[in-house]
């Protein structure tokens, strides 16, 4: 690999443009070439992949490994290294180990299984909105709606008591915060894992109809693997959807004519959510892989043992696939977006995330037609050091 | 048009069912893809082709 030009890429790069747009560091790389070299915090050099086609190729090709012990695997921050090493989660395994562990969970996220849950999700959305409205206008949409809805949904599915939500939400935030030290991240991960291990032991004695009970009672799964899988579902299950809900609401408040079409049903919630997923691409940190064979990607020679980072946010703005990709257009066909990743690791929970977002956004805008920001937009602050992009708080009135 | 699948490559993401629900299903038993109509009518061709493109495991072949 050629030497780097000495510029170190900070991940996630500082959001220096519109809060919905990928940071200019990613955009500049994308404008230069779909595959460029970059230097990371630890002095390692890796390939930054920004084009739609190239990101799909990397994530869909098992010659790029997801295992962090592979030579060249890029660690995005010291805290990320702490998270991915020593955590037997299938997200960071290759097949056949990955497939063995993932398939234990696929039954719970089948499209038809999630469709059956729509009435239950609608009830959670309605009740959460009732509570927010009863609390009076204005309110913080993040703490009163966007975060409770997916937390309640995943708690019920997984079998985690919602009463513990402050505890696990705080640990989860630390886990995903790139500004935290390795020590802080490691402590949060151990604490969350031991909480879930204890809960799994309880479920072994008294099983209920939930995912954790089913995992805890499998003989082919070690307690460590059970806790790691549960941790992934719990964290991914609420952080991503919560941030998507709040940021989507803000994006729609800034595009009132598009929000009006969603309200009238002219634009379906289904189409709107696909475009919001594409446009917001909240996983703003790169998806890491290590090449295990020599190969050519977008005209660039990549060798075994070199690291690769796939930027979903720039891939989702690729003008060749999404004309005027920097524009939010709820009526475009955005289904080719890569917001959930691609390849065998593509988000397992995506049918659930889609159902939650469709129901939450449609219900929010229908029930509160006067929904508006309660502060000046310039006062809003964003989660710039988080693996998953979002807004810190979203004061709204109605 | 003939639709075939390699179930060994399926990762149960559900893209095919969301895109062409009358052609694809997911098995109750193992969550893997099932083809309901191996020779779907021509009007479904765009959906079926998109489903093949969206499949993250590249498990769907359309010939």
């Amino acid at each position: 690999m050629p030497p780097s030009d000495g510029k170190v890429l900070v991940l996630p790069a500082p959001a220096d443009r519109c809060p919905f747009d990928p940071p200019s560091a990613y955009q500049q790389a994308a404008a230069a070439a779909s595959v460029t070299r970059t230097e990371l915090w630890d002095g390692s050099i890796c390939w930054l992949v920004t084009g739609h086609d190239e990101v799909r190729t990397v994530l869909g090709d098992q010659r790029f490994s997801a295992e962090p012990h592979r030579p060249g695997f890029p660690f995005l921050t010291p805290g990320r290294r702490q998270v991915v090493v020593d955590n037997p989660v299938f997200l960071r395994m290759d097949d056949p180990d990955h497939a063995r562990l993932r398939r234990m969970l696929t039954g719970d996220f089948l499209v038809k299984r999630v469709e059956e849950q729509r009435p239950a999700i609608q009830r959670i959305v309605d009740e959460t909105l009732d509570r927010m409205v009863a609390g009076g206008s204005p309110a913080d949409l993040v703490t009163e709606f966007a975060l409770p809805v997916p937390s309640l949904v995943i708690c019920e599915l997984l079998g985690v008591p919602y009463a513990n939500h402050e505890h696990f939400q705080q640990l989860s935030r630390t886990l995903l915060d790139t500004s935290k030290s390795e020590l802080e991240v490691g402590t949060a991960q151990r604490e969350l894992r031991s909480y879930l291990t204890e809960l799994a032991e309880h479920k072994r004695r008294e099983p209920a109809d939930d995912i954790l009970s089913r995992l805890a009672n499998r003989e082919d799964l070690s307690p460590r693997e059970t806790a790691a899988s549960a941790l992934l579902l719990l964290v991914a299950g609420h952080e991503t959807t919560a941030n998507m809900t709040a940021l989507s609401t803000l994006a729609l408040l800034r595009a009132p004519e598009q929000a009006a079409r969603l309200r009238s049903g002219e634009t379906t919630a289904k189409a709107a959510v696909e475009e919001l997923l594409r446009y917001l691409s909240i996983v703003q940190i790169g998806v890491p892989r290590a090449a295990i064979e020599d190969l050519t990607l977008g005209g660039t020679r990549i060798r075994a043992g070199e690291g690769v980072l796939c930027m979903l946010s720039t891939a989702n703005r690729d003008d060749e696939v999404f004309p005027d990709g920097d524009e939010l257009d709820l009526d475009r066909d955005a289904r080719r977006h890569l917001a959930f990743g691609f390849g065998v690791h593509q988000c397992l929970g995506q049918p659930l995330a889609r159902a939650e977002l469709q129901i939450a956004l449609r219900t929010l805008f229908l029930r509160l037609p006067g929904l508006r920001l309660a502060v000046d937009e310039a006062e809003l602050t964003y989660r710039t050091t988080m693996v998953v992009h979002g807004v810190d708080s979203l004061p709204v009135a109605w | 048009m003939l639709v075939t699948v390699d179930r060994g490559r399926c990762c149960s993401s559900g893209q095919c069912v969301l895109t062409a629900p009358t052609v694809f299903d997911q098995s109750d038993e193992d969550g893997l893809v099932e083809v309901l109509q191996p020779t779907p009518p021509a009007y479904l061709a765009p959906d079926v082709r998109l489903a093949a493109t969206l499949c993250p495991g590249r498990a769907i072949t359309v010939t």
Side-chain angles (χ1 to χ4, degrees):
Chain A
M1 186 186 290
S4 100
D5 55 9
K7 267 204 304 194
V8 174
L9 179 70
V10 176
L11 290 161
D16 48 2
R17 310 199 308 159
C18 161
F20 304 122
D21 291 343
S24 54
Y26 303 166
Q27 290 285 58
Q28 280 160 14
S34 52
V35 182
T36 52
R37 63 175 192 274
T38 194
E39 183 175 343
L40 301 180
W41 63 279
D42 57 358
S44 64
I45 312 285
C46 83
W47 297 105
L48 195 65
V49 182
T50 49
H52 186 272
D53 198 34
E54 290 78 8
V55 167
R56 263 175 58 101
T57 300
V58 172
L59 298 180
D61 187 334
Q62 301 212 25
R63 289 178 298 170
F64 289 97
S65 169
E67 296 183 348
H69 64 265
R70 296 278 190 179
F73 186 89
F75 297 108
L76 310 187
T77 66
R80 290 290 92 203
R81 182 176 58 190
Q82 183 64 41
V83 167
V84 302
V85 173
D86 187 39
N87 191 24
V89 63
F90 58 88
L91 185 64
R92 314 222 179 274
M93 293 175 191
D94 296 334
D95 286 343
D97 290 332
H98 157 264
R100 175 179 71 87
L101 290 167
R102 180 179 167 118
R103 281 179 185 166
M104 291 179 190
L105 292 163
T106 47
D108 292 292
F109 296 96
L110 296 184
V111 172
K112 57 190 153 202
R113 197 84 4 102
V114 170
E115 289 304 306
E116 289 162 12
Q117 289 165 29
R118 278 186 184 262
I121 297 170
Q122 182 71 58
R123 195 176 57 244
I124 285 173
V125 166
D126 288 340
E127 288 171 1
T128 308
L129 210 45
D130 286 345
R131 275 195 297 277
M132 183 177 99
V133 169
S137 170
D140 176 10
L141 190 95
V142 174
T143 54
E144 302 304 315
F145 184 69
L147 189 54
V149 166
S151 300
L152 282 158
V153 171
I154 195 67
C155 277
E156 204 166 303
L157 261 181
L158 193 52
V160 169
Y162 183 71
N164 299 143
H165 72 102
E166 279 178 20
H167 181 64
F168 71 70
Q169 281 167 354
Q170 186 223 325
L171 293 172
S172 163
R173 262 199 308 277
T174 304
L175 219 57
L176 298 179
D177 190 340
T178 59
S179 71
K180 299 286 184 197
S181 70
E182 288 177 90
L183 184 68
E184 289 168 300
V185 169
T187 307
Q189 179 157 269
R190 270 194 304 280
E191 223 179 290
L192 196 47
R193 202 160 52 197
S194 74
Y195 167 69
L196 290 166
T197 306
E198 259 176 58
L199 198 57
E201 276 166 23
H202 172 72
K203 302 265 178 191
R204 241 189 304 276
R205 292 190 301 271
E206 290 174 44
D209 183 19
D210 54 49
I211 296 176
L212 192 52
S213 293
R214 283 192 288 282
L215 292 179
N217 287 288
R218 287 187 74 114
E219 285 179 4
D220 52 351
L221 203 57
S222 72
R224 227 176 128 64
E225 287 173 330
T226 302
S229 293
L231 194 151
L232 176 66
L233 294 189
L234 182 61
V235 174
H238 79 275
E239 282 285 349
T240 48
T241 312
N243 287 302
M244 260 307 291
T245 304
L247 268 189
S248 298
T249 303
L250 177 58
L252 290 170
L253 290 177
R254 283 168 40 128
E257 68 299 334
Q258 299 199 48
R261 285 209 301 280
L262 174 64
R263 226 176 244 124
S264 69
E266 214 174 313
T267 299
T268 63
K270 203 172 156 184
V273 163
E274 295 312 309
E275 169 66 352
L276 287 161
L277 285 163
R278 179 198 73 82
Y279 179 68
L280 297 169
S281 293
I282 57 166
V283 179
Q284 295 230 335
I285 201 161
V287 180
R289 293 287 186 267
I292 53 176
E293 280 179 37
D294 291 356
L295 43 85
T296 301
L297 177 71
T300 301
R301 192 79 185 138
I302 294 182
R303 307 209 173 268
E306 292 181 344
V308 172
L309 273 183
C310 293
M311 308 311 296
L312 305 179
S313 55
T314 50
N316 281 341
R317 297 291 182 98
D318 193 326
D319 275 337
E320 285 190 18
V321 184
F322 307 107
D324 298 319
D326 284 339
E327 301 299 320
L328 176 72
D329 174 5
L330 296 189
D331 289 320
R332 88 162 78 221
D333 183 355
R335 286 178 292 179
R336 293 184 66 198
H337 71 76
L338 302 173
F340 290 114
F342 192 71
V344 295
H345 290 280
Q346 194 181 56
C347 177
L348 172 71
Q350 57 181 303
L352 181 65
R354 287 189 161 103
E356 288 182 38
L357 288 168
Q358 290 161 10
I359 295 168
L361 291 171
R362 188 165 181 278
T363 308
L364 179 68
F365 279 87
L366 269 182
R367 263 193 66 183
L368 302 177
L371 191 73
R372 61 193 182 278
L373 270 184
V375 294
D376 195 88
E377 204 189 310
E379 287 177 41
L380 297 175
T381 56
Y382 298 89
R383 300 173 21 131
T384 47
T385 64
M386 302 296 280
V387 169
V388 180
H389 187 47
V391 60
D392 289 319
S393 72
L394 191 65
V396 291
W398 55 88
Chain B
M1 183 168 61
L2 177 67
V3 181
T4 51
V5 292
D6 178 352
R7 299 182 96 225
R9 300 179 65 102
C10 174
C11 54
S12 308
S13 76
Q15 300 292 312
C16 55
V17 183
L18 289 170
T19 312
T22 59
V23 178
F24 300 101
D25 196 4
Q26 291 172 298
S27 149
D28 280 328
E29 268 167 38
D30 54 15
L32 299 181
V33 61
E34 282 178 349
V35 182
L36 303 173
Q37 297 186 74
T39 52
Y43 75 92
L44 288 175
D47 286 348
V48 173
R49 286 188 204 285
L50 181 63
T53 304
L54 295 182
C55 174
R58 302 183 199 268
I60 301 170
T61 307
V62 182
T63 49

